[in-house]
Amino acid sequence: MVELSPSFLLEFETLDRDHQQLADIVNQIVQAIDDNEPEKCETLATHFVKSTKLHFAREEALLIKAGYPNVKKHQDHHKSLNSKMEHLLEFAKMAGENQLACDSLRKELVFFLMDDVITTDMEFKTFIEGKGVNGKA
Ligand SMILES: [Fe+2]
Ligand SMILES: [Fe+2]
């Protein structure tokens, strides 16, 4: 199970809420695998990927609005994750019949969320804090 410790919070409500929602879906997938209900993985993973893409769009719009100077780099980073998301969906599709796919899905999903989605956002944490942008929108 993944848990977002305080060091992973941006202290920016809209984005922290999105990250928590993504972590909740990851935990539902891990739970489904642990409960030997891998057939649930495909629907959950599809939901995860859709939610992640929506989150990226929301985050990019917010960074543009706040005038974040490295927004292009962060957008490119988000774009570079498309193929990883495709792989996650493929593992999830196979999870019902294939233990290896389940193991890969669980491992890759947790890395994806923690390393690719959340840790890379720490790059702009100081910027949005310093900007005093209202995160309650
Ligand atoms: Fe991001
Ligand atoms: Fe994010």
Side-chain angles (χ1 to χ4, degrees), residues 10 15 18-19 22 55-56 59 74 78 117-118 121 124:
L10 291 164
L15 299 179
D18 277 1
H19 289 171
L22 296 177
H55 166 65
F56 286 169
E59 187 173 282
H74 202 73
H78 285 165
V117 177
I118 292 180
D121 284 359
F124 61 77

Side-chain angles (χ1 to χ4, degrees), residues 1 13-14 19 34 39 46 61 65 67 76 100 114 118 124 130 135:
M1 291 287 153
E13 195 178 328
T14 320
H19 289 171
D34 285 348
E39 67 282 355
T46 304
K65 199 174 153 202
D76 287 345
L100 260 180
M114 298 313 293
I118 292 180
F124 61 77

